[in-house]
Amino acid sequence: KVLWITKLMHSLCAYMVYTDIIPRNTPIKDIKKLYPHQRKEVKSIEFSQQFGGSAYAIQNALGCTLEKAQAFSEAYAKGFPGISKFKEKASKLVRSKGYILLNPITGHKTYWSNFKNWKEEQSKYDEDFWDEYKRIHKPNKDKVYLEVKNHFQEVSKFDRKALNSPTQGTGAIILKESQIEIFNWVVDNGYFGKCLLCNLTHDECNWEYPKELSTFPNIIKSYMENTAAKYCKSVPIPAETSVGECWIH
């Protein structure tokens, strides 16, 4: 199998979040060995923030106080300011256009099916409405209160999707395109029916190949890295190979 992996990402996140535990002169490559607990724990913070989660999500994942969870969230935002900017930009796009642009190169989009109705409801929420809402509807938890709650839960869902979907969507595009390139290589080099694509799982591919074709893992690795480089020009996405008698995960 071959999968993309950013080995140092969790270590880097731990370095950015645990500023009071991990000394600032600690090499990122050594954090996994020196601070395994923090590196493991930070995954909950990392995944929560990348999927648009709040401090409450961190609190639930780690079982810490809300105050501590908020501090983790703020440390992550400070350490990775680009993510906050990207989230803001993506939120503006989906709220104004009604779709999420998965990748600007291919133009893939995912649409907010109820966007037109949501936009019409949003236009009703003027200053007079909010005055009445605060005086009457919110205290009584009435039908209007529930409608407003559902209205903002819907946009929060798409704010989170707008943050995560471009990454997931681009990853899917890269994986599929790389497999087309690999399949073409298999056909062009006379290995059709000998090299078999067994499964695609998230960001990895699983192939069977004859033992005499010992270079096949490196061929797969090359195609996957070259395809990724077309879409991610600033940050390299390395691929890693594993060879075995069964699916290694």
Side-chain angles (χ1 to χ4, degrees):
K1 74 171 185 177
V2 177
L3 65 153
W4 283 298
I5 183 168
T6 49
K7 293 183 177 179
L8 298 180
M9 190 62 202
H10 299 313
S11 296
L12 178 61
C13 287
Y15 179 86
M16 292 297 186
V17 170
Y18 293 98
T19 56
D20 57 335
I21 297 176
I22 301 177
R24 298 299 85 189
N25 62 347
T26 306
I28 302 300
K29 64 181 179 63
D30 293 340
I31 286 177
K32 183 177 181 179
K33 179 178 66 176
L34 298 175
Y35 301 94
H37 175 73
Q38 284 72 28
R39 185 181 182 277
K40 180 179 179 181
E41 192 175 66
V42 83
K43 294 179 183 180
S44 297
I45 302 169
E46 180 184 351
F47 293 143
S48 167
Q49 299 306 288
Q50 289 176 354
F51 282 83
S54 65
Y56 290 103
I58 297 175
Q59 181 188 29
N60 291 333
L62 298 182
C64 61
T65 65
L66 183 59
E67 181 182 14
K68 188 66 174 177
Q70 186 62 45
F72 284 145
S73 177
E74 291 173 358
Y76 183 90
K78 183 178 179 181
F80 301 97
I83 293 179
S84 298
K85 292 178 181 178
F86 179 80
K87 181 179 180 180
E88 182 180 351
K89 181 180 178 181
S91 175
K92 287 181 179 178
L93 176 64
V94 74
R95 290 179 182 225
S96 62
K97 301 292 186 181
Y99 65 79
I100 299 167
L101 181 62
L102 299 182
N103 188 275
I105 297 176
T106 65
H108 281 83
K109 300 180 179 72
T110 182
Y111 287 89
W112 181 350
S113 60
N114 193 44
F115 177 69
K116 184 178 180 181
N117 292 336
W118 185 89
K119 199 74 171 177
E120 290 175 355
E121 288 296 315
Q122 180 73 4
S123 66
K124 300 176 184 178
Y125 296 155
D126 56 17
E127 188 174 342
D128 291 336
F129 172 85
W130 288 118
D131 288 340
E132 181 179 300
Y133 175 83
K134 292 174 184 177
R135 286 187 294 102
I136 301 173
H137 304 300
K138 186 176 181 180
N140 293 319
K141 302 288 192 295
D142 58 15
K143 181 180 178 181
V144 173
Y145 166 82
L146 293 176
E147 289 175 350
V148 171
K149 182 179 179 180
N150 290 334
H151 178 83
F152 285 99
Q153 283 181 338
E154 183 174 6
V155 75
S156 294
K157 179 180 73 174
F158 277 92
D159 280 343
R160 292 192 297 272
K161 286 173 66 70
L163 173 63
N164 182 57
S165 292
T167 303
Q168 299 288 348
T170 298
I173 291 167
I174 293 171
L175 181 61
K176 291 174 182 178
E177 185 173 319
S178 69
Q179 300 313 294
I180 293 171
E181 296 291 338
I182 295 167
F183 179 78
N184 288 338
W185 183 94
V186 167
V187 173
D188 292 343
N189 288 273
Y191 286 100
F192 183 74
K194 298 178 181 179
C195 293
L196 305 175
L197 175 59
C198 301
N199 195 19
L200 297 177
T201 309
H202 301 302
D203 57 353
E204 64 182 71
C205 63
N206 294 270
W207 285 80
E208 290 184 355
Y209 64 95
K211 289 184 178 180
E212 64 268 19
L213 187 58
S214 59
T215 59
F216 193 58
N218 289 332
I219 291 169
I220 295 177
K221 171 182 169 67
S222 176
Y223 274 112
M224 292 182 78
E225 290 182 342
N226 290 341
T227 304
K230 291 169 57 177
Y231 295 92
C232 301
K233 301 182 184 300
S234 299
V235 180
I237 301 181
E240 185 179 83
T241 61
S242 297
V243 179
E245 298 299 323
C246 59
W247 177 25
I248 304 168
H249 187 70

